[in-house]
Amino acid sequence: MKVAKFGGTSVASAEQIKKVAAIVAEDKERKIIVVSAPGKRSSDDTKVTDLLIGLGEAFLNKGEAEEELQAVVSRYDDIAKGLGLGQDIIATIEADLRERLEFDRNKPESFMDSIKASGEDNNAKLIASYFQSIGLQATYLNPKDAGLLVSDEPGNAQVLPEAFENLAKLRDTKEIIVFPGFFGYSKEGTLVTFPRGGSDITGSIVAAGTNADLYENFTDVDSVFAANPNVVENPVKIKRMTYREMRELSYAGFSVFHDEALIPAFRNSIPVCVKNTNNPSSSGTMIIAEREYFMNPVIGIAADEGFATIYVRKYLMNREVGFGRKLLQILEDECLSYEHMPSGIDDTSVILRQNQLTPEIEERIVTRIREELAVDDVYVEKDFAMVMIVGEGMHNTLGVSARATAALARAKVNIEMINQGSSEVSLVLGIHSEDADGAVRELYQEFFGSAGDTVQ
Amino acid sequence: MKVAKFGGTSVASAEQIKKVAAIVAEDKERKIIVVSAPGKRSSDDTKVTDLLIGLGEAFLNKGEAEEELQAVVSRYDDIAKGLGLGQDIIATIEADLRERLEFDRNKPESFMDSIKASGEDNNAKLIASYFQSIGLQATYLNPKDAGLLVSDEPGNAQVLPEAFENLAKLRDTKEIIVFPGFFGYSKEGTLVTFPRGGSDITGSIVAAGTNADLYENFTDVDSVFAANPNVVENPVKIKRMTYREMRELSYAGFSVFHDEALIPAFRNSIPVCVKNTNNPSSSGTMIIAEREYFMNPVIGIAADEGFATIYVRKYLMNREVGFGRKLLQILEDECLSYEHMPSGIDDTSVILRQNQLTPEIEERIVTRIREELAVDDVYVEKDFAMVMIVGEGMHNTLGVSARATAALARAKVNIEMINQGSSEVSLVLGIHSEDADGAVRELYQEFFGSAGDTVQ
């Protein structure tokens, strides 16, 4: 059996939901359908989730929010009408929303969680209702009834181990289950939402719990591309990639997935397929535990900006047992996470996301490093980009770094940092932010310039 | 004025000491001469320092060591005869040695320090005596009288700040001072030796204390070479290099200097010149604070072997504030120092000198990393070499890393690690040890293939 998750744009309108129904009807293995809240129908549209946040906040502030409530109901109403459904489902949704507004406002985080999650929850009810109306044997299932147990951290739920055991029984479902994404319930019965990418997380958990043969993640692109289509014209589509490749690429701005979302599927070796609701015949991108690689050692190139470097120099640093540890302790005391720590003999740099560095924090860590570590020099530089070249075949292929660095030299890009040697599937190049797009284009040309439409 | 230090082979025999005298006589600026103990006269000879260690250990064990004492005296006697000196100086040396054997044997470390240091001390007396015999205005100066104060750590003396003030008055010396290398005195008046490279350290301290215009380090090579002459045939000579370049290269096996030795000169911006006692007309290698660079961004290529990698993988590692710090803490608890820590997204490696890893230590750290950090994978790999490409011009020159990585690809050398980005003057490439010589030769060919006899 397959678990199929449909993202916000895939369930944004009646027209889109009809496509979903066709996709579900076409393959009997698609037994569990995880749905998002209705997303944007066009680029200037508002997501239902954002309407709900407006509703919740207005109600918390003013004690009433009738206008905001009607805006939400109206979105569902449009969809229901487009799907030819009666007013029953809209009455159900409106009653549900009014009931949620009764929730204890002295717990504003949990109140907001409940309001936000109604987007997915009511959409699941509506979609189940539509499936039934066209003769599909389908039923809505609430995550509480399914036993999707999570930790009680509003907005940051972590799945509990018992959840997987509870979900296992859904594997043998006769009916098609329509399951709302984005939230679970604490052991005390409180609704709690997942962090960013919540519906992807739900799909991944349900796929893992039911030991699905495939987790299909339907979105609005045909596949994962070998480079950002906004930077590289018409990049090749990736047909198969590994979890590791996906993870390394999503780190550097490949936004098809939020990377935590994959963990449950990854840990249970469930294959994941990224597909397009609007073009389901396209084979999409399979994400699997292992793959063979053939011609091209590289599968994708990504760049992410907004990195800063803390440069530290101290004569005979490398003789000083504990220096690196003390340096990282200073960062940890400020709750800073770092990305890379390249080192010379007498110097080391720490590369981190610069949005973590307020002027105060920067001042404090520079002062502490200077005084507590008695360094010869310490300073911060900003606006670096990290370019990631990713591919399972890289480690065993001679000359990948030579080709990459030569490409950057051709593009007149000075390399500020190279980090290779831990991950076997990636090479990280630190450059100035303004060089990022040019670097990605030249690297793409180097590794994919002669490629056909699809890579591996 | 100049401080000139002569190493063991430069003062190993009468013939060599005559060369030293000629060098000193030739330049009136050479006012302070720091000397080592007599070194090897040929490759199968024994250094006086090693004879002294034998003497001291025999005496500690047996309470007498007449034979060993005579072996030492005999070496000085050979030299004195060859220099046409009378027996007075030999009588002085023998009496000095017998007096040292009277030292409290309940302090064996200080006892050994005193015996070992006699090699330099007595050679300084002998050389001063010879200088006088040929009409040079010269005098032996004991480090105690000079105020060369050090910490009381036998075999590991650290210079005290007062030493520099005390030494300053030597700057205006009228006579040539012959100063023994390798040791100083604690504030309590105990003789204490420096760590490895001790005479270089003395020379550097005296040069710094007297604010010398130049610190000349006479040894048995014409200059520092751009690569190891045992690996690359007839490598180019380096004419000028910076402290940083020297330091990065000496890290990776360039053994002209022990790198700590340079610290006092470095901190006081004293230029250092490496010269050859056997060929003093050769201009040698100048080591200075800054240099201009011209054609070649690279000044030298070195490789060092014996590195191990601890590879650690954990999904979402980079989200975990404190992971790297905890990992380094585990190494620190075992007193391990590390060299590099390249990182991917979900993995990091720690590269360290593998002679630190006993099977027990390796077992303990792998177990602790696995259990305390809850990693997905951890293992140790050995027998890596680090190749360093060093040059002040590297940072601002496009394509150095491209040329380096392309050269390794030509040599069919797989690159296991690249570390660039902290030091502006070096690029570190991790490869398998068996590839090291081939890598250095191909890199040399790439960066120096068309060079003439001398680089910059």
Side-chain angles (χ1 to χ4, degrees), chain B residues 23 108 120 125 131 141 191-192 214 216 265 388 400 422:
Chain B
I23 289 166
E120 281 73 9
K125 294 174 200 165
F131 283 4
L141 182 60
L191 183 156
V192 197
L214 183 63
E216 294 179 307
M388 310 256 323
V400 171
S422 185

PDB file of all heavy atoms in Angstrom, chain B residues 23 108 120 125 131 141 191-192 214 216 265 388 400 422:
ATOM      1  N   ILE B  23      83.403  32.924   9.307  1.00  0.00           N
ATOM      2  CA  ILE B  23      82.112  33.599   9.102  1.00  0.00           C
ATOM      3  C   ILE B  23      81.952  34.755  10.102  1.00  0.00           C
ATOM      4  O   ILE B  23      81.540  35.859   9.739  1.00  0.00           O
ATOM      5  CB  ILE B  23      80.951  32.579   9.249  1.00  0.00           C
ATOM      6  CG1 ILE B  23      80.946  31.627   8.047  1.00  0.00           C
ATOM      7  CG2 ILE B  23      79.606  33.292   9.397  1.00  0.00           C
ATOM      8  CD1 ILE B  23      80.090  30.384   8.237  1.00  0.00           C
ATOM      9  N   PRO B 108      66.775  13.355  39.500  1.00  0.00           N
ATOM     10  CA  PRO B 108      67.374  12.834  38.255  1.00  0.00           C
ATOM     11  C   PRO B 108      67.092  13.701  37.020  1.00  0.00           C
ATOM     12  O   PRO B 108      67.953  13.809  36.141  1.00  0.00           O
ATOM     13  CB  PRO B 108      66.753  11.443  38.112  1.00  0.00           C
ATOM     14  CG  PRO B 108      65.556  11.431  39.003  1.00  0.00           C
ATOM     15  CD  PRO B 108      65.829  12.407  40.098  1.00  0.00           C
ATOM     16  N   GLU B 120      76.575  21.970  25.060  1.00  0.00           N
ATOM     17  CA  GLU B 120      76.593  23.323  24.501  1.00  0.00           C
ATOM     18  C   GLU B 120      77.534  24.229  25.303  1.00  0.00           C
ATOM     19  O   GLU B 120      78.281  25.032  24.747  1.00  0.00           O
ATOM     20  CB  GLU B 120      75.177  23.934  24.517  1.00  0.00           C
ATOM     21  CG  GLU B 120      74.252  23.468  23.406  1.00  0.00           C
ATOM     22  CD  GLU B 120      73.741  22.050  23.572  1.00  0.00           C
ATOM     23  OE1 GLU B 120      73.959  21.433  24.641  1.00  0.00           O
ATOM     24  OE2 GLU B 120      73.137  21.529  22.616  1.00  0.00           O
ATOM     25  N   LYS B 125      82.586  27.441  25.582  1.00  0.00           N
ATOM     26  CA  LYS B 125      83.868  27.812  26.191  1.00  0.00           C
ATOM     27  C   LYS B 125      85.019  27.526  25.230  1.00  0.00           C
ATOM     28  O   LYS B 125      85.929  28.357  25.049  1.00  0.00           O
ATOM     29  CB  LYS B 125      84.087  27.013  27.495  1.00  0.00           C
ATOM     30  CG  LYS B 125      83.109  27.348  28.607  1.00  0.00           C
ATOM     31  CD  LYS B 125      83.329  26.395  29.799  1.00  0.00           C
ATOM     32  CE  LYS B 125      82.114  26.353  30.711  1.00  0.00           C
ATOM     33  NZ  LYS B 125      82.170  25.206  31.641  1.00  0.00           N
ATOM     34  N   PHE B 131      88.412  31.406  19.359  1.00  0.00           N
ATOM     35  CA  PHE B 131      88.286  32.757  18.795  1.00  0.00           C
ATOM     36  C   PHE B 131      89.404  33.660  19.339  1.00  0.00           C
ATOM     37  O   PHE B 131      90.057  34.394  18.596  1.00  0.00           O
ATOM     38  CB  PHE B 131      86.931  33.373  19.135  1.00  0.00           C
ATOM     39  CG  PHE B 131      85.773  32.860  18.310  1.00  0.00           C
ATOM     40  CD1 PHE B 131      85.943  31.838  17.376  1.00  0.00           C
ATOM     41  CD2 PHE B 131      84.494  33.418  18.456  1.00  0.00           C
ATOM     42  CE1 PHE B 131      84.860  31.384  16.614  1.00  0.00           C
ATOM     43  CE2 PHE B 131      83.424  32.974  17.702  1.00  0.00           C
ATOM     44  CZ  PHE B 131      83.599  31.941  16.789  1.00  0.00           C
ATOM     45  N   LEU B 141      79.943  33.545  27.500  1.00  0.00           N
ATOM     46  CA  LEU B 141      78.991  34.096  28.475  1.00  0.00           C
ATOM     47  C   LEU B 141      78.038  32.997  28.920  1.00  0.00           C
ATOM     48  O   LEU B 141      77.389  32.339  28.095  1.00  0.00           O
ATOM     49  CB  LEU B 141      78.206  35.268  27.869  1.00  0.00           C
ATOM     50  CG  LEU B 141      77.198  35.956  28.807  1.00  0.00           C
ATOM     51  CD1 LEU B 141      77.876  36.552  30.045  1.00  0.00           C
ATOM     52  CD2 LEU B 141      76.419  37.046  28.067  1.00  0.00           C
ATOM     53  N   LEU B 191      69.790  24.928  36.500  1.00  0.00           N
ATOM     54  CA  LEU B 191      69.878  24.846  35.041  1.00  0.00           C
ATOM     55  C   LEU B 191      68.679  24.058  34.518  1.00  0.00           C
ATOM     56  O   LEU B 191      68.362  22.974  35.032  1.00  0.00           O
ATOM     57  CB  LEU B 191      71.193  24.154  34.663  1.00  0.00           C
ATOM     58  CG  LEU B 191      71.533  24.022  33.184  1.00  0.00           C
ATOM     59  CD1 LEU B 191      73.060  23.869  33.024  1.00  0.00           C
ATOM     60  CD2 LEU B 191      70.830  22.868  32.497  1.00  0.00           C
ATOM     61  N   VAL B 192      68.020  24.562  33.487  1.00  0.00           N
ATOM     62  CA  VAL B 192      66.867  23.882  32.887  1.00  0.00           C
ATOM     63  C   VAL B 192      67.012  23.934  31.361  1.00  0.00           C
ATOM     64  O   VAL B 192      67.343  24.991  30.808  1.00  0.00           O
ATOM     65  CB  VAL B 192      65.520  24.548  33.285  1.00  0.00           C
ATOM     66  CG1 VAL B 192      64.355  23.601  33.007  1.00  0.00           C
ATOM     67  CG2 VAL B 192      65.514  24.989  34.735  1.00  0.00           C
ATOM     68  N   LEU B 214      69.245  41.181  12.814  1.00  0.00           N
ATOM     69  CA  LEU B 214      69.073  39.933  12.067  1.00  0.00           C
ATOM     70  C   LEU B 214      69.436  38.768  12.969  1.00  0.00           C
ATOM     71  O   LEU B 214      70.386  38.850  13.754  1.00  0.00           O
ATOM     72  CB  LEU B 214      69.996  39.927  10.822  1.00  0.00           C
ATOM     73  CG  LEU B 214      69.904  38.718   9.886  1.00  0.00           C
ATOM     74  CD1 LEU B 214      68.514  38.610   9.247  1.00  0.00           C
ATOM     75  CD2 LEU B 214      70.972  38.800   8.784  1.00  0.00           C
ATOM     76  N   GLU B 216      70.707  35.133  12.413  1.00  0.00           N
ATOM     77  CA  GLU B 216      71.192  34.193  11.398  1.00  0.00           C
ATOM     78  C   GLU B 216      71.244  32.791  11.986  1.00  0.00           C
ATOM     79  O   GLU B 216      71.850  32.574  13.029  1.00  0.00           O
ATOM     80  CB  GLU B 216      72.595  34.583  10.925  1.00  0.00           C
ATOM     81  CG  GLU B 216      72.628  35.912  10.182  1.00  0.00           C
ATOM     82  CD  GLU B 216      74.040  36.278   9.754  1.00  0.00           C
ATOM     83  OE1 GLU B 216      74.936  36.283  10.634  1.00  0.00           O
ATOM     84  OE2 GLU B 216      74.237  36.558   8.559  1.00  0.00           O
ATOM     85  N   ALA B 265      61.574  35.481  18.114  1.00  0.00           N
ATOM     86  CA  ALA B 265      61.964  36.339  16.991  1.00  0.00           C
ATOM     87  C   ALA B 265      60.718  36.887  16.293  1.00  0.00           C
ATOM     88  O   ALA B 265      60.616  38.072  15.980  1.00  0.00           O
ATOM     89  CB  ALA B 265      62.823  35.552  16.010  1.00  0.00           C
ATOM     90  N   MET B 388      50.367  19.941   2.327  1.00  0.00           N
ATOM     91  CA  MET B 388      50.144  21.368   2.512  1.00  0.00           C
ATOM     92  C   MET B 388      50.714  22.110   1.326  1.00  0.00           C
ATOM     93  O   MET B 388      51.881  21.906   0.969  1.00  0.00           O
ATOM     94  CB  MET B 388      50.879  21.896   3.742  1.00  0.00           C
ATOM     95  CG  MET B 388      50.664  21.130   5.005  1.00  0.00           C
ATOM     96  SD  MET B 388      49.541  21.952   6.143  1.00  0.00           S
ATOM     97  CE  MET B 388      49.929  23.655   5.927  1.00  0.00           C
ATOM     98  N   VAL B 400      44.092  28.603  -7.597  1.00  0.00           N
ATOM     99  CA  VAL B 400      45.138  27.767  -6.983  1.00  0.00           C
ATOM    100  C   VAL B 400      44.579  26.397  -6.631  1.00  0.00           C
ATOM    101  O   VAL B 400      45.186  25.363  -6.913  1.00  0.00           O
ATOM    102  CB  VAL B 400      45.723  28.440  -5.722  1.00  0.00           C
ATOM    103  CG1 VAL B 400      46.632  27.473  -4.969  1.00  0.00           C
ATOM    104  CG2 VAL B 400      46.494  29.685  -6.109  1.00  0.00           C
ATOM    105  N   SER B 422      40.549  28.782   6.358  1.00  0.00           N
ATOM    106  CA  SER B 422      40.868  29.521   7.559  1.00  0.00           C
ATOM    107  C   SER B 422      42.186  30.225   7.302  1.00  0.00           C
ATOM    108  O   SER B 422      42.242  31.434   7.156  1.00  0.00           O
ATOM    109  CB  SER B 422      40.963  28.604   8.761  1.00  0.00           C
ATOM    110  OG  SER B 422      41.155  29.394   9.896  1.00  0.00           O
TER     111      SER B 422
END
